[in-house]
Amino acid sequence: MLNWRRRVAIRDHLAEANLFARRAIVGLVCVVLACIILALNMRTLQVDKHQDYQTRADGNRIKVLPIPPNRGLIYDRFGRILAENTSFYSLEIIPEEVQDLDELLLQIQQLIALEDEVIEDFRRQVKQQRRKFKPVVVESRLTEEEAAIIAVNQHKMPGAYLEARLKRHYPYGELTTHALGYVAKINRRDADTLEMVGKKANYEGTFDIGKLGIERYYEDLLHGQVGYQEVEVNNRGRPIRTLSEQPPVPGQDLVLNLDIEMQKLARDQLGERRGAVVVLDAKNNGILALYSNPSYDPNLFVHGISSKNYKALLNNRSRPLINRATQGRYPPASTIKPHIGLLGLDEKLITTKTRIWDPGYYQIKDIEHKYRDWKSWGHGWVDIYRAIEESCDVYYYDLAVRLGMDKISEFMTRFGFGELTGIDIHEETSATMPSRDWKYGRFRQPWYAGDTVSIGIGQGYWTATPLQLATATSVLGNEGQYYEPKLLKATRTQTGELPIPAQDRRPVEIENERNWQIIKTAMQGVVEKPTGSGFAAFKGVNYEAAGKTGTAQVIAIAQDEEYDAEAIEEKYRDNALYVGFAPVAEPRISVAVIIENAGGGGKNAAPVARAMMDYYFQNYPFQEYPSQEFPSQNYSTQEYPETFQ
């Protein structure tokens, strides 16, 4: 058997060398290409996009934090602070930094007591927030003990922060609510509005915004300008070093015309009664007092009012949320008789010698219905003086019919009725100055003579706000000079106060300037004549005052029925009104008072007005004015000037 051995192949070294050389060249080319690509990429990163990546790197290391400005303070005319900023501790969470929000909230609840409503409000804010890296407030009223507990355990709660902030506080509470308003949390609607008007950036880091009153109207002045701080942060996002800072510009301080002591007096005078008191500086219509009763504590809204408290305010039958001074619509009643009398004089339909016979009622020709006077047996012969002093209804029934609604409506509009007064808060209504066109547009009905009769004594469709009445009375006292009522007196700067000039409107002009004096004299008789409807309230005053009482019906009384306040529900009883100014010659103060369902104006509203005037003349610098001569009024029954039946 043959033993064959396998032949050993001879290696081809040349072929292997060629193969290795080819592989080496390919590998070298790949390495060179990789190096070229790497070099190009490094150039791109280090040169072309250096600035972009440098910015990104700094963004991981540096944060720009907004510094909210301090809100401007608000003072009354004598420097007493009405709105201040107080420090507090706030617990805030940045949602982006939290892995398990539910677990974190549960952990916080184990440390401090949080109501379910607070948690729900927090979750709602988180859902509404578009940017999850912004802090959301969980609780803004931590006690010092709660703040200490959170501080000790904060290292266990990443994403939760304890912050010391400033919050608005109103030391006088419900006294200033309807004038100052309040600030509250910025909601989604506020944020959208700020973004729409291009102010969103200025509110970075700010949680509150003015919602009502002065706080809302002068938001731009009070808020200030936001500042910024560049800080270096660690890997957990906590600041470790400040790199640069642009300080914020604080909001401007405001000085109001309000006198807080006069506000207190208005509240004390109204007591538990619903109503409003407006006091104006008759020289420029600066608002010395603007009080609506009942009111509420604005501090409830600053930190977020609970649903329970808000429902209680909404369901309160006395409607404390309504600013009665600027939003209350009331029939002006007899308080507008001086204005209608002035129109009658200017139209030459009456003179100081014109008298009519008042038997206790008035009838339109060929109509059986009798429009009754408040004095059932009548006033007898009445002229313009006595008609205002004793508030004779029949005189004004007759005068209104002869004037006609067109002239009355046009003339009263010039005094501001049916229009916004121009007060520097948004919460105001224009009320209603009716006209033929207004009635047809509202009810699709023509204007009747009977409608004009009611207008003659400030009833019917005519409504006005207490602020409108005070302003119209001031215009009358100043013989046509018209200033818009304003709360803001001045802005306060480092160099002192910068007064805000009074804003005047077109003056009310009449043909015979002497007619102003006739009406003012008649209004003076209201408080100085023993038969005047305001005499009892102003008896013994040491200044010359003029005014007009009013009693407004809330419900109609049948022709054959007598008004009996005790027999009807309180809400259907008459409203009491009073308007007035003093001194008569050169008025310095104008007052309007309305008390709902209180009865007669002379008995109930006039004493409140006198208290306000007494306070003014006792506490304000006052230059004595020359006494106005009170013209004699001859009521001799032997004289019979022109008469109108």
mmCIF file of all heavy atoms in Angstrom, residues 559-584:
data_model
loop_
_atom_site.group_PDB
_atom_site.id
_atom_site.type_symbol
_atom_site.label_atom_id
_atom_site.label_comp_id
_atom_site.label_asym_id
_atom_site.label_seq_id
_atom_site.Cartn_x
_atom_site.Cartn_y
_atom_site.Cartn_z
ATOM 1 N N GLN A 559 -103.268 105.311 42.387
ATOM 2 C CA GLN A 559 -103.868 106.645 42.489
ATOM 3 C C GLN A 559 -104.601 106.849 43.804
ATOM 4 O O GLN A 559 -104.527 107.917 44.417
ATOM 5 C CB GLN A 559 -104.840 106.842 41.319
ATOM 6 C CG GLN A 559 -105.449 108.231 41.257
ATOM 7 C CD GLN A 559 -104.536 109.237 40.584
ATOM 8 O OE1 GLN A 559 -104.145 109.051 39.453
ATOM 9 N NE2 GLN A 559 -104.176 110.297 41.272
ATOM 10 N N ASP A 560 -105.295 105.838 44.268
ATOM 11 C CA ASP A 560 -106.131 105.989 45.461
ATOM 12 C C ASP A 560 -105.473 105.429 46.716
ATOM 13 O O ASP A 560 -106.135 105.209 47.727
ATOM 14 C CB ASP A 560 -107.483 105.300 45.239
ATOM 15 C CG ASP A 560 -107.327 103.834 44.854
ATOM 16 O OD1 ASP A 560 -106.186 103.433 44.530
ATOM 17 O OD2 ASP A 560 -108.328 103.099 44.877
ATOM 18 N N GLU A 561 -104.163 105.155 46.670
ATOM 19 C CA GLU A 561 -103.467 104.602 47.825
ATOM 20 C C GLU A 561 -102.506 105.632 48.411
ATOM 21 O O GLU A 561 -102.047 106.536 47.732
ATOM 22 C CB GLU A 561 -102.681 103.342 47.438
ATOM 23 C CG GLU A 561 -103.565 102.157 47.074
ATOM 24 C CD GLU A 561 -102.740 100.910 46.784
ATOM 25 O OE1 GLU A 561 -101.499 100.972 46.952
ATOM 26 O OE2 GLU A 561 -103.326 99.897 46.385
ATOM 27 N N GLU A 562 -102.235 105.456 49.707
ATOM 28 C CA GLU A 562 -101.278 106.305 50.396
ATOM 29 C C GLU A 562 -100.008 105.507 50.667
ATOM 30 O O GLU A 562 -100.058 104.312 50.951
ATOM 31 C CB GLU A 562 -101.857 106.811 51.729
ATOM 32 C CG GLU A 562 -103.002 107.788 51.577
ATOM 33 C CD GLU A 562 -102.560 109.117 50.989
ATOM 34 O OE1 GLU A 562 -101.381 109.479 51.174
ATOM 35 O OE2 GLU A 562 -103.384 109.776 50.332
ATOM 36 N N TYR A 563 -98.861 106.175 50.558
ATOM 37 C CA TYR A 563 -97.585 105.511 50.818
ATOM 38 C C TYR A 563 -97.425 105.278 52.310
ATOM 39 O O TYR A 563 -97.503 106.202 53.117
ATOM 40 C CB TYR A 563 -96.427 106.366 50.299
ATOM 41 C CG TYR A 563 -95.057 105.824 50.640
ATOM 42 C CD1 TYR A 563 -94.521 104.775 49.909
ATOM 43 C CD2 TYR A 563 -94.314 106.362 51.685
ATOM 44 C CE1 TYR A 563 -93.260 104.268 50.211
ATOM 45 C CE2 TYR A 563 -93.056 105.867 51.994
ATOM 46 C CZ TYR A 563 -92.530 104.824 51.254
ATOM 47 O OH TYR A 563 -91.296 104.328 51.565
ATOM 48 N N ASP A 564 -97.212 104.022 52.708
ATOM 49 C CA ASP A 564 -97.024 103.654 54.109
ATOM 50 C C ASP A 564 -95.773 102.797 54.202
ATOM 51 O O ASP A 564 -95.784 101.610 53.846
ATOM 52 C CB ASP A 564 -98.234 102.897 54.637
ATOM 53 C CG ASP A 564 -98.115 102.576 56.125
ATOM 54 O OD1 ASP A 564 -97.093 102.958 56.734
ATOM 55 O OD2 ASP A 564 -99.032 101.936 56.671
ATOM 56 N N ALA A 565 -94.656 103.402 54.652
ATOM 57 C CA ALA A 565 -93.379 102.698 54.681
ATOM 58 C C ALA A 565 -93.423 101.452 55.553
ATOM 59 O O ALA A 565 -92.785 100.443 55.248
ATOM 60 C CB ALA A 565 -92.278 103.639 55.169
ATOM 61 N N GLU A 566 -94.188 101.516 56.643
ATOM 62 C CA GLU A 566 -94.228 100.386 57.561
ATOM 63 C C GLU A 566 -94.989 99.199 56.992
ATOM 64 O O GLU A 566 -94.793 98.064 57.416
ATOM 65 C CB GLU A 566 -94.876 100.814 58.885
ATOM 66 C CG GLU A 566 -94.138 101.932 59.606
ATOM 67 C CD GLU A 566 -92.736 101.519 60.002
ATOM 68 O OE1 GLU A 566 -92.532 100.317 60.287
ATOM 69 O OE2 GLU A 566 -91.843 102.386 60.022
ATOM 70 N N ALA A 567 -95.823 99.464 56.003
ATOM 71 C CA ALA A 567 -96.683 98.401 55.479
ATOM 72 C C ALA A 567 -96.060 97.658 54.300
ATOM 73 O O ALA A 567 -96.629 96.678 53.827
ATOM 74 C CB ALA A 567 -98.031 98.985 55.057
ATOM 75 N N ILE A 568 -94.910 98.112 53.797
ATOM 76 C CA ILE A 568 -94.294 97.458 52.649
ATOM 77 C C ILE A 568 -92.899 96.961 53.012
ATOM 78 O O ILE A 568 -92.307 97.387 54.016
ATOM 79 C CB ILE A 568 -94.195 98.417 51.436
ATOM 80 C CG1 ILE A 568 -93.338 99.637 51.790
ATOM 81 C CG2 ILE A 568 -95.571 98.841 50.980
ATOM 82 C CD1 ILE A 568 -93.131 100.581 50.631
ATOM 83 N N GLU A 569 -92.390 96.045 52.217
ATOM 84 C CA GLU A 569 -91.060 95.503 52.460
ATOM 85 C C GLU A 569 -90.009 96.606 52.356
ATOM 86 O O GLU A 569 -90.171 97.572 51.604
ATOM 87 C CB GLU A 569 -90.730 94.407 51.444
ATOM 88 C CG GLU A 569 -91.549 93.148 51.586
ATOM 89 C CD GLU A 569 -91.072 92.077 50.616
ATOM 90 O OE1 GLU A 569 -89.862 91.733 50.648
ATOM 91 O OE2 GLU A 569 -91.894 91.598 49.828
ATOM 92 N N GLU A 570 -88.925 96.431 53.096
ATOM 93 C CA GLU A 570 -87.878 97.456 53.128
ATOM 94 C C GLU A 570 -87.330 97.744 51.736
ATOM 95 O O GLU A 570 -87.076 98.902 51.387
ATOM 96 C CB GLU A 570 -86.731 97.012 54.039
ATOM 97 C CG GLU A 570 -85.612 98.042 54.129
ATOM 98 C CD GLU A 570 -84.390 97.519 54.848
ATOM 99 O OE1 GLU A 570 -84.386 96.343 55.242
ATOM 100 O OE2 GLU A 570 -83.424 98.298 54.996
ATOM 101 N N LYS A 571 -87.152 96.709 50.910
ATOM 102 C CA LYS A 571 -86.546 96.909 49.603
ATOM 103 C C LYS A 571 -87.417 97.736 48.662
ATOM 104 O O LYS A 571 -86.951 98.176 47.611
ATOM 105 C CB LYS A 571 -86.219 95.570 48.954
ATOM 106 C CG LYS A 571 -87.427 94.707 48.643
ATOM 107 C CD LYS A 571 -86.994 93.397 47.999
ATOM 108 C CE LYS A 571 -88.196 92.509 47.666
ATOM 109 N NZ LYS A 571 -87.755 91.251 47.029
ATOM 110 N N TYR A 572 -88.694 97.953 49.020
ATOM 111 C CA TYR A 572 -89.585 98.755 48.186
ATOM 112 C C TYR A 572 -89.800 100.157 48.746
ATOM 113 O O TYR A 572 -90.560 100.946 48.186
ATOM 114 C CB TYR A 572 -90.937 98.062 48.038
ATOM 115 C CG TYR A 572 -90.856 96.726 47.331
ATOM 116 C CD1 TYR A 572 -91.412 95.583 47.893
ATOM 117 C CD2 TYR A 572 -90.216 96.609 46.104
ATOM 118 C CE1 TYR A 572 -91.326 94.353 47.253
ATOM 119 C CE2 TYR A 572 -90.129 95.390 45.461
ATOM 120 C CZ TYR A 572 -90.681 94.260 46.042
ATOM 121 O OH TYR A 572 -90.594 93.054 45.405
ATOM 122 N N ARG A 573 -89.139 100.489 49.846
ATOM 123 C CA ARG A 573 -89.300 101.817 50.431
ATOM 124 C C ARG A 573 -88.488 102.853 49.656
ATOM 125 O O ARG A 573 -87.576 102.526 48.909
ATOM 126 C CB ARG A 573 -88.858 101.797 51.898
ATOM 127 C CG ARG A 573 -89.735 100.886 52.768
ATOM 128 C CD ARG A 573 -89.182 100.762 54.173
ATOM 129 N NE ARG A 573 -89.942 99.774 54.947
ATOM 130 C CZ ARG A 573 -89.582 99.324 56.146
ATOM 131 N NH1 ARG A 573 -88.481 99.797 56.721
ATOM 132 N NH2 ARG A 573 -90.316 98.419 56.760
ATOM 133 N N ASP A 574 -88.816 104.113 49.865
ATOM 134 C CA ASP A 574 -88.192 105.203 49.119
ATOM 135 C C ASP A 574 -86.694 105.308 49.412
ATOM 136 O O ASP A 574 -86.231 105.006 50.521
ATOM 137 C CB ASP A 574 -88.852 106.537 49.471
ATOM 138 C CG ASP A 574 -90.296 106.603 49.013
ATOM 139 O OD1 ASP A 574 -90.684 105.775 48.169
ATOM 140 O OD2 ASP A 574 -91.032 107.482 49.513
ATOM 141 N N ASN A 575 -85.951 105.768 48.393
ATOM 142 C CA ASN A 575 -84.537 106.100 48.580
ATOM 143 C C ASN A 575 -84.411 107.551 49.042
ATOM 144 O O ASN A 575 -85.158 108.422 48.595
ATOM 145 C CB ASN A 575 -83.758 105.922 47.275
ATOM 146 C CG ASN A 575 -83.672 104.473 46.841
ATOM 147 O OD1 ASN A 575 -83.742 103.562 47.665
ATOM 148 N ND2 ASN A 575 -83.520 104.251 45.546
ATOM 149 N N ALA A 576 -83.449 107.786 49.917
ATOM 150 C CA ALA A 576 -83.194 109.137 50.430
ATOM 151 C C ALA A 576 -81.974 109.721 49.729
ATOM 152 O O ALA A 576 -80.937 109.061 49.618
ATOM 153 C CB ALA A 576 -82.950 109.097 51.933
ATOM 154 N N LEU A 577 -82.104 110.976 49.243
ATOM 155 C CA LEU A 577 -81.009 111.632 48.531
ATOM 156 C C LEU A 577 -80.782 113.041 49.052
ATOM 157 O O LEU A 577 -81.714 113.686 49.552
ATOM 158 C CB LEU A 577 -81.282 111.702 47.023
ATOM 159 C CG LEU A 577 -81.470 110.410 46.249
ATOM 160 C CD1 LEU A 577 -82.946 110.049 46.164
ATOM 161 C CD2 LEU A 577 -80.887 110.528 44.840
ATOM 162 N N TYR A 578 -79.546 113.498 48.897
ATOM 163 C CA TYR A 578 -79.230 114.890 49.175
ATOM 164 C C TYR A 578 -78.009 115.281 48.353
ATOM 165 O O TYR A 578 -77.042 114.523 48.240
ATOM 166 C CB TYR A 578 -78.928 115.133 50.659
ATOM 167 C CG TYR A 578 -78.659 116.597 50.960
ATOM 168 C CD1 TYR A 578 -79.710 117.466 51.228
ATOM 169 C CD2 TYR A 578 -77.369 117.103 50.941
ATOM 170 C CE1 TYR A 578 -79.478 118.817 51.473
ATOM 171 C CE2 TYR A 578 -77.127 118.448 51.186
ATOM 172 C CZ TYR A 578 -78.192 119.303 51.444
ATOM 173 O OH TYR A 578 -77.958 120.632 51.674
ATOM 174 N N VAL A 579 -78.060 116.488 47.773
ATOM 175 C CA VAL A 579 -76.901 117.074 47.100
ATOM 176 C C VAL A 579 -76.729 118.491 47.624
ATOM 177 O O VAL A 579 -77.703 119.157 47.991
ATOM 178 C CB VAL A 579 -77.063 117.096 45.560
ATOM 179 C CG1 VAL A 579 -77.184 115.681 45.012
ATOM 180 C CG2 VAL A 579 -78.259 117.940 45.141
ATOM 181 N N GLY A 580 -75.482 118.946 47.671
ATOM 182 C CA GLY A 580 -75.259 120.305 48.158
ATOM 183 C C GLY A 580 -73.828 120.750 47.984
ATOM 184 O O GLY A 580 -72.943 119.955 47.624
ATOM 185 N N PHE A 581 -73.597 122.032 48.244
ATOM 186 C CA PHE A 581 -72.254 122.590 48.165
ATOM 187 C C PHE A 581 -72.141 123.717 49.178
ATOM 188 O O PHE A 581 -73.138 124.235 49.693
ATOM 189 C CB PHE A 581 -71.939 123.098 46.754
ATOM 190 C CG PHE A 581 -72.938 124.082 46.204
ATOM 191 C CD1 PHE A 581 -72.844 125.443 46.482
ATOM 192 C CD2 PHE A 581 -73.994 123.651 45.415
ATOM 193 C CE1 PHE A 581 -73.763 126.352 45.977
ATOM 194 C CE2 PHE A 581 -74.928 124.548 44.907
ATOM 195 C CZ PHE A 581 -74.813 125.894 45.185
ATOM 196 N N ALA A 582 -70.901 124.112 49.456
ATOM 197 C CA ALA A 582 -70.645 125.208 50.397
ATOM 198 C C ALA A 582 -69.206 125.693 50.185
ATOM 199 O O ALA A 582 -68.343 124.919 49.760
ATOM 200 C CB ALA A 582 -70.848 124.729 51.837
ATOM 201 N N PRO A 583 -68.927 126.970 50.507
ATOM 202 C CA PRO A 583 -69.881 128.052 50.746
ATOM 203 C C PRO A 583 -70.650 128.383 49.462
ATOM 204 O O PRO A 583 -70.253 127.992 48.372
ATOM 205 C CB PRO A 583 -68.978 129.215 51.163
ATOM 206 C CG PRO A 583 -67.646 128.611 51.480
ATOM 207 C CD PRO A 583 -67.534 127.400 50.627
ATOM 208 N N VAL A 584 -71.680 129.164 49.614
ATOM 209 C CA VAL A 584 -72.559 129.428 48.479
ATOM 210 C C VAL A 584 -71.872 130.293 47.418
ATOM 211 O O VAL A 584 -71.954 130.019 46.219
ATOM 212 C CB VAL A 584 -73.863 130.106 48.959
ATOM 213 C CG1 VAL A 584 -74.756 130.443 47.775
ATOM 214 C CG2 VAL A 584 -74.595 129.195 49.935
#
